[in-house]
Amino acid sequence: MWIRWLCGVRVSDTVTPASEVTLGRRDALLYSISAILLLDTVASSAAIGVASIGWWLVLGALFFVPFALISTELGCSYPDPGGIYGWVRRAFGGRWAGRIAWYYWVNVAAWCPSIYVLLVGVLSQWLSLEISLLAQVGIGLVLAWLTVLVNWLTLDLGKWVPNVGALFKIVIFSAIILGAFALAAEQGTANAFSLAALVPRWEQGVQYVPVIVYGMLGFELISASSDALDDPAAVLPGATLAAGAIILLFYVLSTVAVLVAIPVAEVNLVEGLVDTLRLLFAGDLTSWLVHVLIAGALYTFFSNGVTWALGANRAAAAAARSDHLPSVFGREDRQRGTPVGAAVLLGVASSAILLLYALTASNNEDLFWSLFAFSGVIFFLPYVVMMLAYVRLKRRPDYPARFRFAPPAVTTVLAWLCAGILLFCIGLFLYVPGEGLQWPVLTGAAVLIVLGEFVIPRQVRHG
């Protein structure tokens, strides 16, 4: 029955508008924290060494802050359903808007399985269980379809998954920071800190720059549900500034804390999350805290997937309603008005990717990195186009002045700077110095791009 319903390409005309659900400043704040603040980003950046602190500060000034402000300005100026899809459509038309909606959605479909595989790996280590690769894939499938279920709910219910996930992240990051500094006070610092060591070194950090930038993206995600926001121009600036300050502060302090407590060679915060927390809270009086924090961390992995799926599905549904993606993506629940067509398709795609990679991966680590690399390039592409769309829209005489953070000449330079950094990161995903061209990444990205050209309806291929 549901297969026949999904295959029906007619979008319901009797749905409850999403605008009846209101998201306030608190929801926008927690949503951004849930989307952007990631445990694995800290691990990857700390692996650079003490210089990673310098990289955070430099990239924070050159990319993180400008990107957050540009996302906010676009969300305030053009509160279009679908967020980034609507902005690109205004700037470049339906053909490019359909592409960006596809890249945005298919990246999440490929990325969610990697997060769920990671969750199972941490669960296995926490409970000291030997979970076979087949069982890991099975659990990943269950989590993928739970994500679909959450997307089926109205936002007044579904929003609590990312909201609670953001609160757990704040607690976990705070615990890691406090625990690491407490351990260092007793045993000294595990790595040598000096002003010279803080200076970003190109030869050390160049391969990690994409990972740090990867952990800075997502401020535009809440705008995918802009029709449910309570006055975007009033909500977004304050929520984005507060979320940005919290995220950058936690990233920098947690990186410092890990390097204070753990030698660089032993940094492995996500895959070794259990060992790290046991190291920080080894006493009899705090051992219970380890289990609480690990349980919270497992939940945040799930909430990461849900948060991005909520935004990507709404962007895809908005594109489908304008015939820029197949109309099945725009199928909505008649009572809730939620994008169940895109959500079910995301569940199908995630399941297929999990099963496909299970046939080729030899263990949990191989499976995680294969899935992660598969979606990396596609993840950055929409943001490059978003920056170019911003530059074009700013040139229009009718550009709305609902929120402006700097003169047009300055914002244009910042947008080109962000686009350049994103293109540089794409290049480093495809070509790693010392290792050469990454053929699996290139092949996976090319397949998804070509597939998108067939997915976009023919009538907008050249319009």
Side-chain angles (χ1 to χ4, degrees):
M1 178 68 71
W2 69 269
I3 295 178
R4 187 177 67 180
W5 172 87
L6 179 63
C7 292
V9 296
R10 181 177 57 83
V11 178
S12 173
D13 296 323
T14 59
V15 298
T16 303
S19 57
E20 291 185 4
V21 180
T22 299
L23 300 176
R25 185 176 286 107
R26 179 199 61 192
D27 300 314
L29 168 68
L30 294 176
Y31 196 95
S32 293
I33 293 174
S34 179
I36 302 169
L37 191 61
L38 305 174
L39 281 167
D40 52 321
T41 300
V42 177
S44 300
S45 65
I48 304 172
V50 177
S52 61
I53 301 167
W55 279 110
W56 272 113
L57 297 176
V58 170
L59 289 172
L62 297 180
F63 182 84
F64 184 74
V65 173
F67 175 79
L69 292 171
I70 289 172
S71 299
T72 302
E73 185 173 335
L74 284 169
C76 293
S77 299
Y78 300 109
D80 302 331
I84 190 173
Y85 155 78
W87 307 333
V88 173
R89 180 185 179 185
R90 285 179 179 271
F92 300 119
R95 182 185 181 189
W96 272 104
R99 283 180 177 141
I100 294 311
W102 166 253
Y103 298 159
Y104 208 58
W105 180 87
V106 79
N107 160 73
V108 174
W111 176 75
C112 279
S114 71
I115 292 297
Y116 299 150
V117 167
L118 188 62
L119 184 155
V120 177
V122 174
L123 176 66
S124 173
Q125 188 179 10
W126 177 30
L127 301 179
S128 300
L129 296 175
E130 288 293 335
I131 303 178
S132 67
L133 185 63
L134 182 61
Q136 292 176 26
V137 171
I139 297 173
L141 291 173
V142 172
L143 293 171
W145 288 97
L146 283 176
T147 301
V148 173
L149 179 62
V150 174
N151 276 257
W152 207 303
L153 302 174
T154 54
L155 274 179
D156 59 337
L157 295 176
K159 71 181 183 182
W160 287 105
V161 174
N163 283 3
V164 173
L167 294 174
F168 272 130
K169 288 183 179 184
I170 291 172
V171 171
I172 294 167
F173 271 79
S174 298
I176 290 172
I177 292 167
L178 294 175
F181 281 110
L183 181 65
E186 295 180 2
Q187 303 180 5
T189 60
N191 297 283
F193 286 79
S194 67
L195 185 59
L198 291 172
V199 176
R201 300 182 184 278
W202 185 256
E203 65 277 8
Q204 292 179 331
V206 65
Q207 66 186 103
Y208 296 101
V209 168
V211 177
I212 294 178
V213 173
Y214 195 100
M216 292 179 168
L217 297 170
F219 281 109
E220 83 300 330
L221 201 60
I222 186 65
S223 292
S225 304
S226 60
D227 52 341
L229 278 172
D230 182 14
D231 190 0
V235 168
L236 288 179
T240 300
L241 290 174
I246 292 170
I247 292 166
L248 190 57
L249 183 66
F250 272 128
Y251 271 148
V252 172
L253 288 181
S254 59
T255 301
V256 172
V258 170
L259 292 170
V260 162
I262 305 173
V264 172
E266 299 176 15
V267 171
N268 193 357
L269 187 58
V270 173
E271 294 180 357
L273 179 63
V274 176
D275 292 336
T276 301
L277 291 174
R278 284 173 177 164
L279 171 66
L280 299 179
F281 304 102
D284 293 336
L285 296 178
T286 57
S287 59
W288 61 272
L289 185 58
V290 174
H291 300 289
V292 173
L293 293 175
I294 294 173
L298 293 176
Y299 178 84
T300 67
F301 294 146
F302 175 67
S303 69
N304 286 346
V306 169
T307 303
W308 282 92
L310 285 170
N313 286 334
R314 289 178 180 274
R321 287 194 294 269
S322 298
D323 297 325
H324 297 146
L325 281 182
S327 56
V328 66
F329 281 90
R331 192 77 182 185
E332 295 179 330
D333 183 273
R334 290 181 180 272
Q335 284 72 43
R336 300 177 180 86
T338 49
V340 293
V344 171
L345 287 174
L346 188 137
V348 172
S350 295
S351 300
I353 291 170
L354 273 168
L355 294 172
L356 175 64
Y357 275 96
L359 298 176
T360 59
S362 60
N363 54 48
N364 176 277
E365 184 178 359
D366 287 345
L367 180 56
F368 169 73
W369 285 112
S370 295
L371 293 171
F372 181 84
F374 184 66
S375 63
V377 172
I378 300 299
F379 180 60
F380 283 86
L381 284 176
Y383 295 106
V384 175
V385 181
M386 173 182 152
M387 292 297 114
L388 300 180
Y390 175 73
V391 171
R392 171 169 285 195
L393 291 171
K394 289 281 284 188
R395 293 174 179 170
R396 295 184 177 177
D398 60 344
Y399 183 80
R402 297 191 179 114
F403 171 77
R404 293 186 180 182
F405 64 91
V410 175
T411 57
T412 298
V413 171
L414 292 176
W416 280 110
L417 176 62
C418 289
I421 291 173
L422 288 164
L423 287 171
F424 177 69
C425 291
I426 290 174
L428 288 177
F429 267 122
L430 296 174
Y431 183 89
V432 177
E435 297 181 15
L437 190 64
Q438 303 297 294
W439 286 104
V441 178
L442 179 61
T443 303
V447 167
L448 293 180
I449 290 172
V450 172
L451 181 60
E453 295 303 306
F454 288 94
V455 168
I456 300 171
R458 293 182 180 276
Q459 61 267 30
V460 298
R461 287 276 183 89
H462 302 288

